[in-house]
Amino acid sequence: MIPLTPPLQRLILTTAWSISLLIAVAAPGAYFLVSHQNLRTVLESQAELAVDAVSRIVAENPKLWRFEEARLSELLQRRAQDGVPERKRILNTTGDVIAGNNVTAPSPLASYSLDIYDAGTSVANLEVSRSMRPLLNMTLLVAACSSIIALLLFFIFRTLPIRIITKALQALEENEKKYRLLYETMKEGVALHRMDFDEKGELHSLTVIDANPSCAAMFDGNLDRVIGSNSYELFGDTFREFLSERHTQEQGDSIMFELCLPGTDDYYSVHVFSPDRGLIATLFEDVTERRKSEQQIQHMAFFDRLTELPNRTLFFDRLNQAIANGNRECSNLAVLFLDLDRFKNINDTLGHDAGDQLLIEVSQRLLRHIRNTDTLARMGGDEFVFVITGTGEQLNAAHVARKLTDSFQAPFLIKGRELHVTSSIGIALFPENGSNAETLLKNADQAMYHAKKSGRNAFKFYTPHRS
């Protein structure tokens, strides 16, 4: 059993005594006050009835009514409806008894009196009294019963809270062990941060005050490196960016973001919430593999698997961006469509592996002859397309095409054999030969076929009359 602290024991004992004492005193006190008030009400009612009867005798014989003692005594002999003995007396203005009902009531007495008037002048006083002994005896009985009940309640309030609190503490301790075990064995990293404020009340920094082993594993299992560290320095600028304004949010709110752990290639999804005022809790889920998979899927969606060049989808996206920029800045661009000459013969004689290796070598050589701002993409097979921005006259596009054609003069070394390869290039200019991506590509393709028909190893500009 978990022992209770002395302050808690004293609090329970004081509360039990207070409740018991309140019951022991309040019950008989309340009974006495209510019963005494009821007694006064009865005495007042009896006095009014008797005064009304005596007043009629006074009105009939205003001079001699004092001498009609027998008649007055007979009037006062009338008993109350509840049958409780009560003493009734008529006193003159000097306090002498004129008449009475000869009833003796044990002391102490509760009395009530009313004046008797004759022509508006008080001529006597009528007093009605009852013994308070029955009320006091009943009050003592109520006090005895309430004391017994109070004593019983004292033991109940003394022992029951202790048992309840002890069980609650035991349950709390068990839950704490359970959640601590879960906290220490969970796969996600968890860290608790203390908010540090400056003199102006602004959030100055965060300090890690607790972390589980999974969080320590993010830093080679060094828990001492984590606890006590500045959270911003430990988790990097992205963490600082999202957490710097966290203290302005309401308790219970949460935010989520991703960060790359400084000095690593590891990515984590971070869930942030405030468990209490002045504290921030962070849950770190390792999403490195998921992020790599997403990046790989995205790369496969926009890049050619063989040459790692942009594919048709990314090419059209870049070309549309270049067209939009050209419309905005009134600038020109050129689309070049390059096709290898007699590539099918290489595949048929040396095999597809050699053909694939040649495509890789060709793509790498072509990349060396364009700017970083230009785009080279593989459309499929042995077809390559270029987006050359910032071209002026035809001579500029021709200069690029000539460099690309000349780059094929050196042979390609494929599987120990030197291969001499040539290419044919078709050129379409924006905006002269088309205002959208599809038209430019189609016209560059037609110009490329014209170059092949003209003897290959050449480049040709698109001209409408040839289409």
Side-chain angles (χ1 to χ4, degrees), residues 36-325:
H36 186 266
Q37 182 61 38
N38 289 337
L39 177 60
R40 286 188 58 83
T41 302
V42 171
L43 292 176
E44 181 180 358
S45 176
Q46 291 296 104
E48 289 176 351
L49 291 174
V51 165
D52 288 342
V54 173
S55 295
R56 285 194 295 270
I57 296 176
V58 172
E60 293 173 359
N61 194 358
K63 300 295 185 179
L64 300 175
W65 69 271
R66 294 180 180 85
F67 302 102
E68 297 187 20
E69 182 178 354
R71 186 180 177 187
L72 293 173
S73 297
E74 181 182 359
L75 180 64
L76 298 178
Q77 291 292 337
R78 297 175 182 176
R79 298 177 63 86
Q81 292 182 356
D82 56 8
V84 178
E86 57 186 16
R87 188 184 69 181
K88 297 178 181 178
R89 298 187 303 173
I90 299 176
L91 308 175
N92 60 20
T93 54
T94 60
D96 296 329
V97 177
I98 298 175
N101 62 352
N102 298 321
V103 174
T104 302
S107 60
L109 298 176
S111 302
Y112 187 85
S113 61
L114 287 175
D115 290 335
I116 299 172
Y117 292 92
D118 180 17
T121 302
S122 177
V123 295
N125 181 268
L126 188 140
E127 179 187 77
V128 180
S129 302
R130 285 189 180 187
S131 175
M132 290 184 60
R133 190 169 296 179
L135 173 60
L136 295 177
N137 291 338
M138 185 58 68
T139 302
L140 289 176
L141 180 59
V142 171
C145 294
S146 62
S147 298
I148 295 174
I149 295 174
L151 186 62
L152 179 62
L153 291 177
F154 169 77
F155 285 106
I156 293 175
F157 291 135
R158 175 68 177 87
T159 58
L160 188 60
I162 294 178
R163 292 181 180 179
I164 294 175
I165 293 175
T166 301
K167 288 183 179 180
L169 290 176
Q170 287 177 339
L172 183 62
E173 185 180 34
E174 292 175 359
N175 288 335
E176 184 178 358
K177 290 180 180 179
K178 183 189 304 181
Y179 288 115
R180 190 70 189 181
L181 179 62
L182 176 64
Y183 173 75
E184 293 178 350
T185 57
M186 65 189 303
K187 181 177 65 175
E188 294 79 9
V190 181
L192 187 64
H193 313 260
R194 182 188 68 242
M195 294 181 178
D196 300 320
F197 298 91
D198 57 20
E199 296 178 353
K200 297 181 180 179
E202 298 292 333
L203 182 61
H204 178 262
S205 64
L206 294 176
T207 302
V208 181
I209 59 176
D210 193 15
N212 69 346
S214 294
C215 183
M218 297 165 57
F219 303 92
D220 300 325
N222 189 352
L223 192 60
D224 293 335
R225 177 188 171 189
V226 178
I227 297 179
S229 299
N230 185 297
S231 305
Y232 294 155
E233 297 176 358
L234 192 65
F235 297 105
D237 293 336
T238 304
F239 189 86
R240 178 194 298 271
E241 178 183 349
F242 279 94
L243 271 295
S244 58
E245 299 297 330
R246 182 66 181 85
H247 69 288
T248 62
Q249 301 184 18
E250 295 294 332
Q251 181 178 334
D253 292 346
S254 63
I255 58 175
M256 293 187 68
F257 59 91
E258 288 189 3
L259 62 78
C260 180
L261 198 64
T264 72
D265 294 327
D266 298 331
Y267 284 87
Y268 292 89
S269 174
V270 187
H271 182 199
V272 183
F273 60 95
S274 178
D276 201 355
R277 185 175 181 83
L279 296 176
I280 286 180
T282 50
L283 180 70
F284 297 90
E285 180 184 1
D286 191 344
V287 294
T288 305
E289 294 302 322
R290 188 197 74 190
R291 192 179 180 92
K292 288 181 179 178
S293 298
E294 291 174 351
Q295 290 175 345
Q296 184 177 3
I297 293 173
Q298 185 177 17
H299 185 82
M300 292 173 62
F302 295 104
F303 290 87
D304 179 59
R305 294 183 62 183
L306 179 63
T307 62
E308 295 296 324
L309 293 177
N311 61 12
R312 175 183 290 269
T313 302
L314 185 55
F315 166 77
F316 275 107
D317 179 71
R318 299 242 181 116
L319 179 54
N320 285 320
Q321 291 183 25
I323 292 173
N325 186 62

